[in-house]
Amino acid sequence: ETGVTQTPRHLVMGMTNKKSLKCEQHLGHNAMYWYKQSAKKPLELMFVYNFKEQTENNSVPSRFSPECPNSSHLFLHLHTLQPEDSALYLCASSRGQENQPQHFGDGTRLSIL
Amino acid sequence: GQNIDQPTEMTATEGAIVQINCTYQTSGFNGLFWYQQHAGEAPTFLSYNVLDGLEEKGRFSSFLSRSKGYSYLLLKELQMKDSASYLCAVKDSNYQLIWGAGTKLIIKP
């Protein structure tokens, strides 16, 4: 139990579907992150929110749309994804963004048909 | 560009010692992290180094040399449950985490 919960754990969707990934943290942290993890590649930072405000968007395609309604919840809305978007999507949170470690959820394994 | 290098895979024997190296080239340095990730699970924080030297935490130790852009994670008295991927990450001058691709550690009986 890491204190960061992601749902669903697995998701299979077609390229024309719309779905959302959910992340919730129970650690009282103020920063939340979305990462993409592909096999044998470094973690790719997608979005960063600090006190509900987006502070980073690492050139992520618009078919990925984040939402952060409060400091405990983070969503990733998915629309018209491509096969190369199949990956493990990890959510993380931290107390601040400087030297505090990030705490990760177990991720959502996404497969695009 | 920014780069973190670590071996793709290592094999070690139960009860032995293994050292996983990480070299980095980043724009600035604000600390280095090691994480452990078991297959299908979340990465979990192991250690943080910001000053040169060795940090020891039970069976695990992490070393940093900022002048050489080098760190290692030392695992002693290896157990089967230590089979996992080990991720090295560096915070750059903007406090953004730059990640290595991870080292898959296989422990054999």
Side-chain angles (χ1 to χ4, degrees):
Chain A
E1 179 59 50
T2 65
V4 180
T5 304
Q6 289 187 244
T7 55
R9 290 295 310 276
H10 302 273
L11 179 61
V12 179
M13 56 188 285
M15 289 192 285
T16 57
N17 292 155
K18 284 186 182 181
K19 296 285 184 183
S20 295
L21 309 185
K22 180 182 175 182
C23 176
E24 183 174 359
Q25 58 98 359
H26 308 275
L27 300 169
H29 291 165
N30 53 273
M32 296 188 78
Y33 312 78
W34 277 118
Y35 284 94
K36 176 183 180 182
Q37 188 175 36
S38 302
K40 300 185 179 179
K41 288 186 173 181
L43 284 173
E44 297 174 47
L45 179 64
M46 300 175 73
F47 302 104
V48 181
Y49 279 82
N50 198 21
F51 290 104
K52 303 188 300 177
E53 299 297 320
Q54 188 178 123
T55 57
E56 290 282 341
N57 175 341
N58 276 3
S59 305
V60 180
S62 59
R63 58 186 183 268
F64 295 92
S65 173
E67 179 190 358
C68 188
N70 55 60
S71 293
S72 298
H73 293 86
L74 187 63
F75 295 89
L76 188 62
H77 304 299
L78 315 173
H79 178 48
T80 58
L81 296 192
Q82 305 298 309
E84 62 265 27
D85 297 324
S86 297
L88 181 68
Y89 288 84
L90 289 165
C91 173
S93 69
S94 68
R95 191 184 309 280
Q97 290 182 250
E98 297 192 351
N99 61 354
Q100 298 299 316
Q102 294 177 13
H103 295 254
F104 286 82
D106 285 333
T108 295
R109 173 67 63 186
L110 177 65
S111 298
I112 307 300
L113 301 178
Chain B
Q2 310 207 84
N3 196 49
I4 309 281
D5 282 317
Q6 47 181 136
T8 304
E9 187 173 299
M10 299 181 70
T11 303
T13 304
E14 190 176 16
I17 298 173
V18 72
Q19 178 175 309
I20 303 174
N21 295 325
C22 170
T23 57
Y24 62 89
Q25 292 173 305
T26 56
S27 55
F29 178 84
N30 278 301
L32 185 145
F33 294 81
W34 283 97
Y35 283 80
Q36 179 191 60
Q37 186 178 22
H38 286 101
E41 295 183 13
T44 54
F45 169 70
L46 288 178
S47 67
Y48 171 69
N49 294 70
V50 67
L51 299 177
D52 290 351
L54 189 67
E55 295 279 344
E56 296 186 76
K57 198 184 285 187
R59 293 188 299 114
F60 292 7
S61 304
S62 56
F63 172 83
L64 174 66
S65 168
R66 288 172 296 171
S67 62
K68 294 181 180 177
Y70 167 70
S71 172
Y72 66 73
L73 182 69
L74 191 72
L75 291 75
K76 301 177 185 176
E77 301 168 19
L78 286 170
Q79 301 175 9
M80 298 303 292
K81 67 178 182 179
D82 297 329
S83 292
S85 288
Y86 291 86
L87 312 179
C88 174
V90 171
K91 283 221 168 174
D92 66 10
S93 55
N94 295 321
Y95 291 96
Q96 183 162 130
L97 262 181
I98 311 300
W99 293 84
T103 298
K104 182 177 180 181
L105 178 64
I106 299 167
I107 309 297
K108 295 187 174 178

